[in-house]
Amino acid sequence: MIEESSLRNARALIRSGTEKLSSVSNVPRLEAEVLLSNLLEISPIKFHTNEINVSPTVLDKFEAMIESRFKGVPVAYLVGKKEFWSLEFDVNPSVLVPRPETELLIENAIGILGNHESPKILELGTGSGVISIVLSKELRDPIITAVDISNEALMIAKDNARKHEIKDIKFMESDWFDEIENEKFDLIISNPPYVDKAKLSNEELFGIDMEPDVALYSTNNGTDDLKTIIKNSTSYIKNRGWLLLEHGYDQAKYCMKKMEKAGYKKVENCKDIQNISRTTFGMFQHD
Ligand code: GLN
């Protein structure tokens, strides 16, 4: 009896959730608080300022969420959303959970296009749509086409565009450039699949194995999709237009070499917040 009533107290629930998640997460308390505050639709601050008791239904749901998280399901899938560029985006298991390092790609794009009026942009593999939606907010009247091979992903991307009141991104189902006709862009941007699945340890696979393979993995040390994009991009880039790619920690040299071979000039890498070479970009000049 006593135990049951104390378990319904929010702080006690968070304590038990934190304990359970401590073997699978570096931030178990934060995750337990995020999960419970999401169920209760309150700010996590309230757990510290108010005495909160939860109903048996919420208790059951919370315990089920903690169990799923314990098995590796990312918090973002459990709450159905993720923050990126200080904005909230919907996510589900048909899209990659947006990563903080991808904000670097946005910073690079803003640096490259600056005040360019109405730049034409193609995003390859848009997933939840975060890159195109943020660019649409940050740039001057960009004209954006965003493609993905997954129709389920495009549905989430369109929902996110609606949520942020972005009406002018053209979303298309396409395997990289396959459905793009005779168009040329000022910027082609992509965070493609670049992970070599064989190189991941069981520990590294934990959680990531709940995300779509098609968004994460590529063959040949993770480079095959980067290669396809670099090779075909030159037919879709305006004179003095740019290609901007996110890639793995050990793929900067590969991307530089391939881009230079394809005819890109001013090819550069950029490091992410963890000091890992994470993006490569260059300008294409037609002869
Ligand atoms: N950065 C992601 C990771 O390492 C991978 C994203 C991607 O393949 N595009 O988990």
Side-chain angles (χ1 to χ4, degrees), residues 96 99 101 191-195 208 215-216 246 278:
L96 199 72
R99 310 283 205 265
E101 57 265 30
N191 173 19
Y194 55 69
V195 175
I208 215 184
L216 279 168
E246 179 175 322
R278 184 58 70 188

Side-chain angles (χ1 to χ4, degrees), residues 183-230:
E183 264 187 273
K184 291 210 189 317
F185 299 88
D186 294 294
L187 174 71
I188 297 177
I189 184 169
S190 184
N191 173 19
Y194 55 69
V195 175
D196 180 358
K197 194 171 189 176
K199 273 199 205 144
L200 296 183
S201 62
N202 282 346
E203 209 168 83
E204 286 168 321
L205 270 170
F206 182 80
I208 215 184
D209 59 356
M210 306 276 171
E211 295 183 84
D213 282 10
V214 67
L216 279 168
Y217 305 120
S218 196
T219 40
N220 270 324
N221 300 318
T223 58
D224 266 349
D225 288 290
L226 289 161
K227 182 174 161 188
T228 305
I229 292 172
I230 294 169

Side-chain angles (χ1 to χ4, degrees), residues 106-279:
I106 309 272
E107 284 165 17
N108 292 158
I110 293 170
I112 286 168
L113 292 170
N115 274 336
H116 195 311
E117 183 110 26
S118 307
K120 275 195 76 176
I121 300 171
L122 172 63
E123 190 202 351
L124 298 169
T126 191
S128 57
V130 297
I131 295 172
S132 287
I133 292 166
V134 172
L135 288 180
S136 174
K137 283 179 173 279
E138 297 288 341
L139 298 170
R140 294 180 66 186
D141 300 319
I143 302 159
I144 304 179
T145 302
V147 308
D148 205 283
I149 198 170
S150 155
N151 191 40
E152 289 79 32
L154 287 169
M155 276 159 42
I156 289 283
K158 286 178 195 168
D159 283 347
N160 278 322
R162 266 193 296 276
K163 180 166 166 165
H164 291 287
E165 295 178 357
I166 304 293
K167 297 193 179 75
D168 45 8
I169 298 173
K170 185 172 157 195
F171 290 104
M172 271 171 64
E173 196 174 323
S174 176
D175 183 1
W176 301 137
F177 296 96
D178 282 4
E179 306 302 319
I180 310 293
E181 282 170 24
N182 284 332
E183 264 187 273
K184 291 210 189 317
F185 299 88
D186 294 294
L187 174 71
I188 297 177
I189 184 169
S190 184
N191 173 19
Y194 55 69
V195 175
D196 180 358
K197 194 171 189 176
K199 273 199 205 144
L200 296 183
S201 62
N202 282 346
E203 209 168 83
E204 286 168 321
L205 270 170
F206 182 80
I208 215 184
D209 59 356
M210 306 276 171
E211 295 183 84
D213 282 10
V214 67
L216 279 168
Y217 305 120
S218 196
T219 40
N220 270 324
N221 300 318
T223 58
D224 266 349
D225 288 290
L226 289 161
K227 182 174 161 188
T228 305
I229 292 172
I230 294 169
K231 196 166 139 244
N232 296 318
S233 63
T234 56
S235 311
Y236 299 90
I237 288 219
K238 283 190 195 172
N239 194 29
R240 302 175 71 80
W242 293 77
L243 174 65
L244 166 56
L245 296 170
E246 179 175 322
H247 50 70
Y249 66 94
D250 56 354
Q251 295 165 337
K253 272 208 186 106
Y254 176 90
C255 288
M256 273 187 112
K257 258 174 60 187
K258 285 278 171 213
M259 282 178 65
E260 278 163 358
K261 213 172 142 208
Y264 284 92
K265 311 277 185 253
K266 300 186 179 178
V267 181
E268 268 184 60
N269 306 119
C270 247
K271 290 190 168 153
D272 67 14
I273 39 178
Q274 290 177 287
N275 213 28
I276 294 169
S277 282
R278 184 58 70 188
T279 61

Side-chain angles (χ1 to χ4, degrees), residues 37-53:
S37 64
N38 182 262
L39 279 174
L40 294 169
E41 297 179 16
I42 57 170
S43 155
I45 299 285
K46 284 269 183 335
F47 298 132
H48 303 277
T49 56
N50 297 34
E51 206 56 53
I52 295 168
N53 289 307

